[in-house]
Amino acid sequence: MTTKTERINVRCSEDSLKLLRDAAELQGQDLTSFIMGASLERARAVMAEERVLRLSPAELLQVESALESEAGVNPQLAALVRAVHGVQHVST
């Protein structure tokens, strides 16, 4: 487990603090664990989204075009399916 040496101070309204405390209690967590868990989950989602969805406008148009076009036969995939299908019939 990582040693906890850093501190974060957060200001919030009384209503926000009550909501956070109530939610933490419902989850059986202390306030710090609840806030850190939710914050880290959101931070990981933001980081993953940033890594995955970083497309230029030209790349985005290319993706949209590919999604809108008619599906075609991939010759290599078709050959693989035929090969697997043929093997399954021979062995059964």
Side-chain angles (χ1 to χ4, degrees):
M1 183 176 212
T2 308
T3 304
K4 298 174 184 175
T5 59
E6 302 301 318
R7 178 177 289 276
I8 299 172
N9 294 312
V10 178
R11 294 193 182 277
C12 64
S13 69
E14 186 177 328
D15 290 342
S16 293
L17 181 57
K18 181 176 179 348
L19 177 63
L20 290 168
R21 282 187 173 146
D22 290 348
E25 185 178 330
L26 287 172
Q27 293 290 303
Q29 296 179 303
D30 61 70
L31 185 59
T32 298
S33 296
F34 181 80
I35 291 172
M36 286 302 299
S39 298
L40 290 171
E41 182 179 319
R42 177 69 177 129
R44 287 184 188 105
V46 167
M47 297 302 291
E49 186 176 303
E50 178 65 21
R51 287 186 194 117
V52 172
L53 297 178
R54 194 179 296 179
L55 298 176
S56 69
E59 291 168 328
L60 184 57
L61 286 173
Q62 186 178 5
V63 168
E64 288 174 348
S65 176
L67 290 173
E68 292 174 358
S69 67
E70 283 292 320
V73 175
N74 179 317
Q76 292 171 317
L77 182 58
L80 177 63
V81 169
R82 282 193 301 274
V84 169
H85 184 68
V87 169
Q88 287 178 347
H89 279 290
V90 171
S91 65
T92 55

